[in-house]
Amino acid sequence: MSNILDKVKLIEEYIIDFRRDLHENPELSCNEFKTQEKIMRELDKLGIPYKKAGNTSLIATLKGGKSGKTVALRGDIDALPIKEETDVEFKSKTTGVMHACGHDAHTSMLLGAAKILSEMKDEIPGEVRFFFQEGEETFSGAKKIIEAGGMDGVDACLGMHGMAELETGYVNIEPGYRMAGCDTIYVKFEGVSGHGSVPHLAKDTIHPACIFVTDIQGIVTKNINSQDPIVMSVGKFIGGTKANIVAKYTEIDISMRYFSPQVRKIAHDAIKRHAKAIGDAYEIKVDVRIEESALSLCNDAELAELADKSAIKIFGEGKNKNLPKYMGSEDMPYYFEHAKGVYAFVGYRNEEKKAIYFPHHEKFKIDEDYMKYGTALHVQFALDFLSK
């Protein structure tokens, strides 16, 4: 076992206290101004220089005593618009806003890692950057850090997320695809309005739109390799104004999740093709607009192997458990476009403490014992990468 975990245990109370303060005072995406101030105060105490990025993000830089590579560690800082229904004594003081995804823990673990690494500064061969990132829930924060130059010169990066499927003391680190990419697709049908008694004198859009909704599942089954997961969900369908008026407009919003970029392109092309074909068949106009929300997350094989070795030093042998790929999305992959990266799931499940809920639940709760492992993994990975 690594002595890094022992070092973290000495500041475990500090990490927990900081997390509880954040949990009590949550802030929504890109409005985490007080959270930013609290982090800056701690970085000032540690003597770690930083610069602001975006609305509320921070890029902190710790230069080691020797020259070398650069590794980036990321922690997200935003909360969710959820009314908390837990029984913790430090529950949210802001009605309707809650740290229901554990970003308060992620932030505190990264800060704890910064504290440990700052004490080892002279031994570090290279540079460690700490990204305290806003707006993960809106998939906007990573781009802001990148735009501010955060990834310039970075050789590798690590991110992590607490996970309910794993008990405290366990971790998941695997190569390859781990989380899905996400696109929102807006399809608008435009016809000609008219009286409901004479639909042949108008151009209805509701009927063609209904055909399109059922038709796109054929894209999943007929155009895409069944070995490549993809999900298309129509979450919004709005058409017409009154029962006896033929609907001039019908609008559909589709959420699409995918892993492979090739599959993504096939699906995009097919959606446009099918929409146009149905529009032509019913002599109406169709507009398709695709909005990228997040890219699919793919762990670099070499870094995943290194992170697994780091995890063994922290968690022990046999604690890296396999998990299926997740159809949920993250904005961490935007960093991976600029340097190779790896993403870990760290277990917080503890049934005795009722830490059993998946993120985004109003009763979401973590086992705070898990934070020492996440903190130590940040530190150990950074040291292992920079020294190899």
Side-chain angles (χ1 to χ4, degrees):
M1 297 284 277
S2 165
N3 71 336
I4 296 300
L5 187 59
D6 292 331
K7 289 178 182 288
V8 174
K9 287 177 180 177
L10 296 175
I11 65 163
E12 188 174 7
E13 187 176 345
Y14 167 83
I15 297 167
I16 291 173
D17 286 346
F18 193 81
R19 180 257 165 172
R20 291 186 175 188
D21 180 46
L22 294 184
H23 192 89
E24 212 168 31
N25 301 281
E27 295 177 294
L28 293 174
S29 302
C30 305
N31 288 283
E32 312 94 329
F33 295 103
K34 291 180 180 177
T35 301
Q36 183 191 54
E37 289 174 7
K38 291 172 184 177
I39 297 167
M40 289 191 295
R41 283 198 295 270
E42 296 306 312
L43 292 173
D44 286 338
K45 292 176 188 176
L46 297 174
I48 299 177
Y50 55 84
K51 71 174 183 177
K52 294 181 178 180
N55 290 357
T56 54
S57 296
L58 293 169
I59 301 169
T61 302
L62 181 67
K63 292 187 180 295
K66 308 168 188 174
S67 61
K69 294 177 291 187
T70 299
V71 64
L73 308 174
R74 182 272 220 153
D76 33 20
I77 68 176
D78 52 334
L80 286 158
I82 293 175
K83 184 178 180 181
E84 184 165 1
E85 293 183 12
T86 70
D87 57 0
V88 298
E89 60 188 30
F90 49 89
K91 68 188 299 182
S92 173
K93 291 179 179 177
T94 306
T95 304
V97 182
M98 175 191 178
H99 268 296
C101 202
H103 294 185
D104 50 345
H106 300 170
T107 303
S108 303
M109 291 189 295
L110 185 60
L111 185 61
K115 187 174 177 64
I116 295 293
L117 286 165
S118 69
E119 295 168 357
M120 307 171 67
K121 181 179 176 180
D122 295 339
E123 307 168 35
I124 296 174
E127 180 180 312
V128 184
R129 287 187 201 162
F130 307 93
F131 297 159
F132 294 93
Q133 183 207 301
E134 67 189 277
E136 187 281 324
E137 296 293 353
T138 56
F139 304 132
S140 60
K143 293 177 183 177
K144 292 177 181 178
I145 284 180
I146 293 165
E147 287 168 5
M151 287 298 291
D152 294 354
V154 170
D155 298 292
C157 49
L158 168 72
M160 64 179 68
H161 205 297
M163 190 51 63
E165 278 93 332
L166 295 169
E167 292 184 359
T168 298
Y170 288 85
V171 67
N172 168 262
I173 302 169
E174 296 180 52
Y177 288 113
R178 303 305 300 138
M179 297 186 77
C182 177
D183 293 324
T184 303
I185 302 164
Y186 302 94
V187 184
K188 184 175 182 179
F189 297 84
E190 180 181 349
V192 178
S193 61
H195 199 283
S197 66
V198 284
H200 64 289
L201 299 179
K203 298 295 180 187
D204 179 40
T205 56
I206 290 180
H207 179 70
C210 288
I211 291 173
F212 176 76
V213 168
T214 56
D215 180 65
I216 60 171
Q217 296 309 318
I219 296 172
V220 175
T221 58
K222 303 304 178 185
N223 291 130
I224 304 223
N225 188 326
S226 59
Q227 301 298 311
D228 292 318
I230 185 169
V231 175
M232 283 195 212
S233 300
V234 176
K236 185 177 177 182
F237 187 114
I238 297 176
T241 56
K242 197 172 186 291
N244 66 346
I245 301 174
V246 175
K248 181 176 182 178
Y249 297 107
T250 297
E251 298 182 25
I252 296 168
D253 294 359
I254 305 166
S255 175
M256 188 182 92
R257 308 273 175 162
Y258 67 93
F259 289 104
S260 163
Q262 291 78 19
V263 165
R264 181 192 194 202
K265 185 179 187 310
I266 290 169
H268 285 182
D269 291 345
I271 286 170
K272 293 174 184 175
R273 187 173 65 249
H274 284 230
K276 182 181 184 303
I278 290 171
D280 289 346
Y282 287 90
E283 302 175 290
I284 59 175
K285 297 177 183 177
V286 186
D287 177 68
V288 177
R289 182 170 63 88
I290 299 173
E291 180 183 274
E292 176 188 285
S293 296
L295 302 174
S296 53
L297 188 152
C298 187
N299 280 343
D300 177 81
E302 183 183 352
L303 276 191
E305 183 180 356
L306 177 66
D308 175 49
K309 292 176 180 177
S310 300
I312 290 172
K313 297 173 185 176
I314 302 303
F315 295 85
E317 293 280 356
K319 297 299 180 70
N320 186 359
K321 297 292 186 181
N322 291 333
L323 285 177
K325 297 190 289 283
Y326 286 99
M327 297 310 290
S329 303
E330 242 277 11
D331 70 353
M332 189 78 195
Y334 289 108
Y335 297 118
F336 291 10
E337 288 189 305
H338 298 267
K340 58 185 180 180
V342 62
Y343 194 81
F345 294 112
V346 186
Y348 63 72
R349 187 179 187 86
N350 186 320
E351 296 196 11
E352 288 184 9
K353 297 180 181 179
K354 298 180 181 177
I356 58 175
Y357 297 100
F358 199 81
H360 294 216
H361 194 286
E362 62 270 11
K363 292 184 180 179
F364 175 85
K365 189 188 294 187
I366 64 166
D367 177 5
E368 291 179 319
D369 289 344
Y370 111 87
M371 292 195 291
K372 62 178 175 285
Y373 295 107
T375 302
L377 181 58
H378 270 310
V379 175
Q380 191 68 60
F381 175 81
L383 296 174
D384 289 346
F385 176 78
L386 293 176
S387 62
K388 79 179 180 72

